[in-house]
Amino acid sequence: MRNKINFRLAGIAILAIIATVIGTTIIYYNLFEKQVMAELRLCAKLLTAQINSDGTQISGTDINFNSENDKLKELRITLIDKEGTVIYDNDAAIGQLKNHNDRPEIKEAFEYGEGQAVRRSDTLDEDTFYYAIRLNDGMVLRVATDAKSLGSAFVSVAPIIILIVIFIVLICIGISHMLTEQLLKPIETMVNNLENSEYESPYKELDPIANLLRAQHTDILSAAKARQDFTANVSHELKTPLTAISGYAELLEGGVVSESQQKHFFNEIRKNSDRLLNLINDIIRLSELDRKEMEPQFERISLYDVVAECMDELKVNARQRKIDISFDGEPCFIRANRGMIRELIENLAQNAIRYNNPGGKVHISVFIRNGRPILSVKDNGIGIPAVDQQRIFERFYRVDKSRSKETGGTGLGLAIVKHIVEIHDAKIELDSALGVGTTINIVF
């Protein structure tokens, strides 16, 4: 980035210098042309005044302009009669000169009283300036002088210009390097102080970027910590049932278990295997939901009908745990993925059954509030302490770890619920009190 800024600043400086040199040369040459033409006009009028004052003969071959003015001596002077024939030229034999009626400055002089023109000589790389004025008797007096062309003038001073340009470019490169350092140093300091919330950015214009970078930096650190915690939790959660299975299998293999205990060991192996499978399935499911490129198929579905479809399986699980489960509501239609909504309902209901007391109740309802469909799962179970309510949707977070393992929970059910809710652009409402129960509403 530093090199790019240096190169661009130096490039801008070079372009500015070149443009300035070219522009200045053109302006200077235009001023030079105007001055040359003004001097020619003055000389022509001096000659005209001389003719009128001393009665210089202006016809025949004995014309002679005597002047002490050095500028007049350096001019080419030509007299043209009314027919365009050259009758005098101090720089060429008149017999070799063609009729001048076709010359622009002569035409203008005959028509308007004066005329001027500039003609370029490619051979000599010079410009010839002409000024013509009509005399009282109708003839035309023309004066001319040679001057370097724009290209020739530019070439003659090119070495000096090149040296000046090189000198200025070197200065600009040094200045651009200094400015780049001054520009980037505060930014580098700001980047190094992203973790310092009290640090103020050096430029007000950078405040939005600084806030964004600070937020992204915090998010990255949080995500890294979350991944680290998740990896540690997964390792721990997988290790626990595997250790139990391995221990029970080792005891059975060693033949140190009585026949009366074998059934209990087989049951524990099966229970830990089921827990391990459930854990792996939930981890895989979370991984699928985490994939940003996943685009679930949405359709218009009846929330009431989907809950009704889940009730048969939920009633079996509730009966096993001696929980009374019920369902009521009204027709509610949402645009959603049917499979995900079933998964959402089952996770919420299973959670309410699992963390309930024997003889407890779970009630599922579907209704519309303020025009928005709502799925509500209510229980009168153990409840959630206020300090834990903000964390229950985190992966592997358990309010009662011992109870969760006894009931076969993986600690990922509510994390899956949170992902599904986010995918459907819905909202979670939680109301819980310790020892009273919990109500979770999903507002679509």
Side-chain angles (χ1 to χ4, degrees):
M1 181 179 178
R2 182 175 280 101
N3 289 335
K4 285 184 178 180
I5 295 176
N6 280 328
F7 286 141
R8 288 177 182 177
L9 288 176
I12 292 171
I14 292 171
L15 289 176
I17 292 167
I18 293 174
T20 301
V21 169
I22 294 174
T24 303
T25 303
I26 293 173
I27 293 171
Y28 167 77
Y29 194 77
N30 287 334
L31 292 173
F32 171 73
E33 282 186 339
K34 290 180 181 179
Q35 181 159 351
V36 170
M37 200 61 72
E39 290 181 356
L40 283 178
R41 184 183 295 110
L42 178 61
C43 292
K45 288 183 178 181
L46 288 174
L47 289 172
T48 302
Q50 178 183 339
I51 293 171
N52 294 331
S53 63
D54 61 13
T56 303
Q57 180 68 31
I58 57 174
S59 61
T61 60
D62 58 346
I63 300 173
N64 182 27
F65 290 101
N66 296 315
S67 176
E68 297 178 356
N69 192 316
D70 292 336
K71 289 186 177 179
L72 292 178
K73 292 179 181 179
E74 295 174 359
L75 298 179
R76 179 181 178 184
I77 303 172
T78 309
L79 276 172
I80 301 100
D81 64 16
K82 297 178 181 179
E83 286 75 30
T85 303
V86 177
I87 62 173
Y88 174 79
D89 193 302
N90 66 347
D91 195 46
I94 60 175
Q96 298 176 357
L97 298 176
K98 297 179 181 179
N99 190 286
H100 277 35
N101 268 340
D102 60 342
R103 307 296 170 90
E105 69 277 10
I106 304 301
K107 285 183 179 180
E108 291 179 5
F110 279 130
E111 187 173 354
Y112 304 111
E114 61 179 335
Q116 61 186 37
V118 180
R119 286 193 283 278
R120 175 177 171 77
S121 171
D122 292 328
T123 304
L124 299 176
D125 194 20
E126 289 183 339
D127 290 336
T128 302
F129 294 79
Y130 297 94
Y131 180 81
I133 187 170
R134 188 177 62 204
L135 302 176
N136 292 336
D137 60 0
M139 289 197 299
V140 170
L141 171 68
R142 187 185 70 178
V143 291
T145 187
D146 295 328
K148 290 184 178 181
S149 66
L150 175 62
S152 176
F154 188 82
V155 170
S156 64
V157 296
I160 298 175
I161 291 176
I162 291 173
L163 289 175
I164 294 173
V165 167
I166 291 174
F167 178 70
I168 296 176
V169 166
L170 291 176
I171 292 176
C172 289
I173 290 174
I175 294 174
S176 67
H177 180 73
M178 182 180 66
L179 290 176
T180 302
E181 292 297 327
Q182 291 179 349
L183 176 67
L184 293 182
K185 188 174 181 180
I187 297 176
E188 292 173 351
T189 305
M190 180 190 72
V191 172
N192 293 330
N193 285 274
L194 285 177
E195 296 181 4
N196 183 4
S197 59
E198 297 181 356
Y199 179 78
E200 295 182 1
S201 58
Y203 312 121
K204 291 183 179 180
E205 293 80 4
L206 289 178
D207 284 342
I209 298 176
N211 294 333
L212 177 62
L213 289 175
R214 189 173 287 114
Q216 290 180 342
H217 181 68
T218 303
D219 291 343
I220 290 171
L221 292 179
S222 299
K225 186 178 184 303
R227 282 195 298 269
Q228 186 177 9
D229 292 344
F230 181 68
T231 302
N233 287 330
V234 167
S235 301
H236 175 73
E237 294 292 337
L238 292 174
K239 182 179 179 181
T240 302
L242 283 172
T243 302
I245 292 170
S246 177
Y248 289 132
E250 186 177 347
L251 290 174
L252 289 170
E253 184 182 28
V256 295
V257 181
S258 63
E259 292 184 5
S260 61
Q261 291 181 312
Q262 286 183 5
K263 185 177 180 180
H264 171 71
F265 277 32
F266 286 136
N267 183 57
E268 288 297 322
I269 290 175
R270 181 192 59 78
K271 187 167 66 174
N272 280 281
S273 298
D274 290 342
R275 181 184 170 196
L276 188 60
L277 287 173
N278 290 335
L279 185 62
I280 292 172
N281 287 334
D282 283 351
I283 292 172
I284 292 173
R285 183 59 180 146
L286 268 177
S287 177
E288 291 173 349
L289 293 173
D290 274 337
R291 291 171 58 190
K292 301 296 184 183
E293 67 274 10
M294 183 188 69
E295 295 183 1
Q297 297 297 318
F298 281 55
E299 58 181 321
R300 187 172 183 267
I301 61 174
S302 170
L303 186 58
Y304 183 93
D305 291 345
V306 176
V307 176
E309 293 171 6
C310 298
M311 285 305 295
D312 290 339
E313 182 180 349
L314 293 174
K315 284 180 179 179
V316 173
N317 292 334
R319 192 179 303 116
Q320 291 175 351
R321 297 181 183 274
K322 299 179 182 181
I323 302 296
D324 180 27
I325 186 168
S326 59
F327 164 58
D328 64 17
E330 57 183 300
C332 293
F333 292 91
I334 61 173
R335 185 163 183 78
N337 179 275
R338 193 179 193 89
M340 287 187 179
I341 296 302
R342 280 184 62 97
E343 192 174 3
L344 171 73
I345 296 167
E346 289 172 357
N347 272 294
L348 287 175
Q350 294 288 8
N351 212 60
I353 293 169
R354 185 177 293 117
Y355 296 99
N356 212 319
N357 300 311
K361 294 182 180 181
V362 174
H363 182 67
I364 305 175
S365 58
V366 175
F367 57 92
I368 295 177
R369 183 181 68 194
N370 298 328
R372 304 192 70 176
I374 295 176
L375 168 68
S376 178
V377 179
K378 181 179 181 180
D379 68 70
N380 61 348
I382 62 174
I384 305 169
V387 295
D388 295 310
Q389 290 181 14
Q390 296 297 322
R391 301 192 60 190
I392 62 170
F393 293 97
E394 295 178 11
R395 301 174 183 187
F396 295 115
Y397 188 82
R398 298 183 179 91
V399 176
D400 187 343
K401 295 179 173 58
S402 60
R403 183 184 179 96
S404 178
K405 292 180 180 179
E406 289 175 1
T407 57
T410 63
L412 296 174
L414 290 181
I416 292 174
V417 166
K418 181 183 177 182
H419 272 276
I420 294 175
V421 167
E422 290 174 350
I423 289 172
H424 287 80
D425 197 23
K427 184 175 67 173
I428 300 175
E429 295 177 348
L430 173 65
D431 182 20
S432 183
L434 194 63
V436 176
T438 301
T439 300
I440 295 180
N441 292 336
I442 308 299
V443 184
F444 292 95

